[in-house]
Amino acid sequence: MRVAFLLACLFAGLFYTYVAFAELSFLSVSGRLGPGFFPRIIGVALVGLCLFSLVSAWRRPVEGEAQSAHWPVGGMVMALTGLLVILLSVLGGVLAMVVCLLLSLSLLTRGHHIQNVAIALVFPAAIYLLFDVLLNASMPEGALGIRF
């Protein structure tokens, strides 16, 4: 099952990397880093890590692999990732990240309310500062028109 999952991730990573190289430009018209810069790095890293994991799985097969009890949590994280994609177009990048991070952290680290709120506010703010302020690459703006 592990090898099948890693193969599926590898094919998804290969498709993602193909799109990053074929559809997104590395540099913008003004000579700055374009929309394909980070996706190319992420795609190559994803394919490399999947290949490494596949080789490791083939070298050391797990005997009597038991089913994990964490499937419901994994499913919830996948659902929250889908919610993030939907909220990006409604709330915009920063607010969608805050909402989804807060929900995800509340699911994964129950009882750490202050820490969860701090992380859910600090990381999107740092991403906003990095991309919108330092790199001058705008964050997705939602349908509500809330801008930071």
Side-chain angles (χ1 to χ4, degrees):
M1 185 69 173
R2 179 178 294 169
V3 172
F5 173 75
L6 289 171
L7 279 172
C9 288
L10 176 64
F11 288 127
L14 285 169
F15 176 73
Y16 175 85
T17 306
Y18 168 75
V19 170
F21 276 91
E23 301 291 328
L24 301 173
S25 60
F26 184 73
L27 296 174
S28 68
V29 178
S30 63
R32 292 177 169 232
L33 295 178
F37 179 73
F38 284 117
R40 288 179 183 188
I41 293 172
I42 291 169
V44 169
L46 180 64
V47 169
L49 289 172
C50 283
L51 287 172
F52 175 78
S53 296
L54 269 170
V55 169
S56 296
W58 273 322
R59 284 187 179 170
R60 291 183 298 144
V62 178
E63 297 297 326
E65 187 175 330
Q67 179 131 3
S68 173
H70 301 292
W71 281 103
V73 174
M76 287 298 297
V77 170
M78 287 175 26
L80 288 170
T81 304
L83 178 67
L84 174 64
V85 172
I86 293 168
L87 288 179
L88 279 172
S89 62
V90 177
L91 298 176
V94 177
L95 287 178
M97 283 189 283
V98 169
V99 169
C100 287
L101 262 176
L102 191 56
L103 290 173
S104 297
L105 290 170
S106 296
L107 173 71
L108 297 173
T109 57
R110 293 184 175 131
H112 300 277
H113 305 297
I114 295 172
Q115 175 185 339
N116 292 346
V117 169
I119 291 171
L121 293 174
V122 168
F123 281 123
I127 290 172
Y128 171 77
L129 289 173
L130 173 67
F131 284 100
D132 208 11
V133 176
L134 294 176
L135 295 175
N136 199 23
S138 62
M139 298 289 291
E141 191 172 325
L144 299 178
I146 302 171
R147 182 98 174 110
F148 284 88

